[in-house]
Amino acid sequence: MKLQSLYNEYLNIKFNRELPSVQADGFEYCFCEDDSTELFFVDRKNESFVEWAYELQPRDPNYTVNPDWKPVLSAFFKQLDVYDELILYYLLFTINATTSIAKKNPFNAMNDFMKNYCFFQLAQLTDAAGLNDEQRHQLRDFFFFFYLYAHPVNEETLYSFSFSGQDLIHTKTNINIEHYFSLYHDYYSENLDKHRDKLFIAPHEINACKNLTLELLKSIEGKSAKLAMPPEEGLEAVLRLINNVDDLIQIYSENKTTLFGTMRDFLSDNRSNAYRDHCFSTLLQNYVCYILYFKFDEIHDLVEYFKGTPLWCEKIINKIFTDTIFIQKLMRQNHIDIAEYKNVIEFFNEEARRIYL
């Protein structure tokens, strides 16, 4: 499975880039009646990748006083209980849903952006030599938290996983997620007849789902080649800083006005489309996550650079503070009171004032 090709197609459809469509190892995107877009099997247009295991969702033991059944994979994982099994199913669904393209509206726009952004950043971190090990670990935990949070998942699932080295594990049982997902797909492929009332795809299709799920997981764990945002005319400087975190960190450390100049050049270019806007939002959140995360007072230099063009300064500041809640999280972590940053809040629009003041 070439995840980069699939990611390109995802962005092509999500942002109406109108590039030729491509198939990805037996899958292709199709539009649904609710105006969302899902990845379907090429030869089976009534079954989507994200829903193939929908009927396999375990019974919820939280509604039973004394659950009297065992997890499907209990023979392989003795430490697994039915509560853990349900949480692991939620994780499977969350990872597979990374490929889904929901119709954007004011209620889901922030979560949609945050989940996509965090998935992309998790794929970048391993190669970020400009960060030390502690910084990489901090950001990986930060991005994975918001990747789950923005799905969204319930609170129990949100806090059930952690990293051991580059391996994602279920913290309570120490189960390796890659191992679990691999056995999960193998079990249903080998026991198809036993589950014919709930499974409607063939073994080779289950194997295709397994390959894609594991590719998505490996990207989250930073074990595969990092993803890249595809090129577009006029976005070369922005994309360079998005696709190479080290370039962003190095340029900023050597001459921060180079980064600010890239932002200025984007705003001075009147061309606008959904993909360009997404890339600019990504660049601004990179500034939040790779610069302000470690030294919040750097925001003074941003405001100083743009205060002579107040409309641009207002746009940048409000996108930084309202496109996501990343900056809220890092301010809470560092006990920062934004009211003390008078030069920043003077550029807040009504929404930002409502949230922060």
Side-chain angles (χ1 to χ4, degrees):
M1 170 66 65
K2 294 180 179 178
L3 193 57
Q4 182 66 59
S5 297
L6 178 62
Y7 190 64
N8 289 351
E9 180 70 352
Y10 169 88
L11 296 174
N12 181 30
I13 295 171
K14 187 179 184 71
F15 298 113
N16 299 311
R17 302 191 70 213
E18 299 182 350
L19 300 175
S21 294
V22 297
Q23 293 182 1
D25 292 356
F27 295 101
E28 64 180 346
Y29 276 108
C30 298
F31 296 99
C32 304
E33 291 181 358
D34 63 356
D35 292 329
S36 66
T37 309
E38 294 288 353
L39 204 59
F40 283 80
F41 296 97
V42 170
D43 299 322
R44 195 186 297 270
K45 297 299 173 61
N46 63 338
E47 194 76 47
S48 71
F49 166 64
V50 76
E51 291 183 343
W52 81 268
Y54 186 77
E55 295 295 331
L56 302 175
Q57 179 172 334
R59 292 163 59 190
D60 190 338
N62 295 294
Y63 293 101
T64 305
V65 176
N66 294 304
D68 59 356
W69 64 92
K70 290 184 178 181
V72 169
L73 298 185
S74 59
F76 301 97
F77 303 100
K78 304 295 185 185
Q79 70 273 46
L80 188 70
D81 65 29
V82 291
Y83 299 93
D84 303 325
E85 180 185 43
L86 184 60
I87 289 170
L88 287 162
Y89 175 84
Y90 288 152
L91 179 67
L92 173 68
F93 188 83
T94 299
I95 289 176
N96 288 351
T98 306
T99 62
S100 299
I101 303 173
K103 182 181 180 182
K104 198 158 74 169
N105 60 58
F107 303 103
N108 71 6
M110 182 185 289
N111 276 358
D112 183 73
F113 176 80
M114 290 197 300
K115 182 174 181 180
N116 177 275
Y117 176 87
C118 289
F119 176 76
F120 184 79
Q121 298 309 318
L122 285 164
Q124 314 303 309
L125 279 176
T126 300
D127 293 331
L131 301 171
N132 60 40
D133 287 344
E134 182 182 356
Q135 290 172 327
R136 274 194 296 271
H137 294 158
Q138 287 177 346
L139 283 177
R140 182 180 58 184
D141 290 343
F142 182 85
F143 291 141
F144 188 68
F145 173 89
F146 277 108
Y147 172 77
L148 295 180
Y149 178 90
H151 177 71
V153 299
N154 59 30
E155 186 172 5
E156 190 174 14
T157 304
L158 184 62
Y159 294 104
S160 289
F161 301 95
S162 56
F163 288 91
S164 175
Q166 280 188 271
D167 297 334
L168 184 64
I169 63 168
H170 180 245
T171 309
K172 174 189 164 188
T173 61
N174 203 39
I175 289 174
N176 179 289
I177 301 303
E178 181 179 356
H179 186 211
Y180 181 88
F181 283 170
S182 182
L183 288 176
Y184 179 90
H185 289 81
D186 291 347
Y187 169 83
Y188 283 109
S189 179
E190 294 164 7
N191 294 274
L192 194 61
D193 290 340
K194 191 186 300 185
H195 300 278
R196 266 298 175 200
D197 59 328
K198 296 180 178 179
L199 263 179
F200 308 104
I201 60 176
H204 75 277
E205 291 169 322
I206 296 176
N207 192 56
C209 291
K210 170 185 173 180
N211 291 338
L212 179 50
T213 295
L214 293 182
E215 280 300 311
L216 293 167
L217 174 62
K218 287 176 183 176
S219 192
I220 289 168
E221 294 177 319
K223 294 178 180 177
S224 54
K226 67 179 183 179
L227 296 172
M229 301 284 286
E232 179 157 321
E233 184 181 354
L235 278 182
E236 292 83 4
V238 171
L239 288 170
R240 175 192 169 194
L241 301 179
I242 290 174
N243 289 331
N244 194 328
V245 169
D246 282 335
D247 278 359
L248 173 72
I249 296 170
Q250 181 179 353
I251 284 173
Y252 192 84
S253 66
E254 292 176 352
N255 186 355
K256 61 189 69 176
T257 61
T258 304
L259 172 59
F260 300 153
T262 299
M263 298 176 185
R264 178 202 62 219
D265 292 344
F266 177 89
L267 292 172
S268 65
D269 188 341
N270 291 324
R271 288 178 293 179
S272 179
N273 60 45
Y275 181 62
R276 293 173 67 85
D277 293 344
H278 175 76
C279 289
F280 187 59
S281 293
T282 299
L283 177 63
L284 294 182
Q285 295 306 317
N286 277 9
Y287 170 70
V288 171
C289 295
Y290 294 102
I291 306 299
L292 299 186
Y293 185 94
F294 300 108
K295 194 174 181 182
F296 188 80
D297 280 356
E298 290 292 310
I299 199 167
H300 291 304
D301 293 321
L302 175 72
V303 173
E304 181 66 24
Y305 182 90
F306 280 103
K307 69 180 183 181
T309 50
L311 290 179
W312 288 356
C313 193
E314 180 180 336
K315 182 169 185 175
I316 289 171
I317 290 297
N318 286 294
K319 286 184 70 63
I320 282 174
F321 280 85
T322 65
D323 275 0
T324 74
I325 57 172
F326 299 151
I327 205 162
Q328 287 185 46
K329 176 77 168 178
L330 75 88
M331 287 194 302
R332 282 198 303 271
Q333 287 177 175
N334 295 290
H335 309 292
I336 293 168
D337 181 2
I338 195 62
E340 296 177 359
Y341 291 72
K342 304 296 185 185
N343 60 332
V344 175
I345 63 177
E346 71 173 279
F347 291 101
F348 274 10
N349 61 17
E350 184 177 340
E351 181 183 5
R353 289 183 176 277
R354 177 183 60 80
I355 296 170
Y356 292 94
L357 299 179

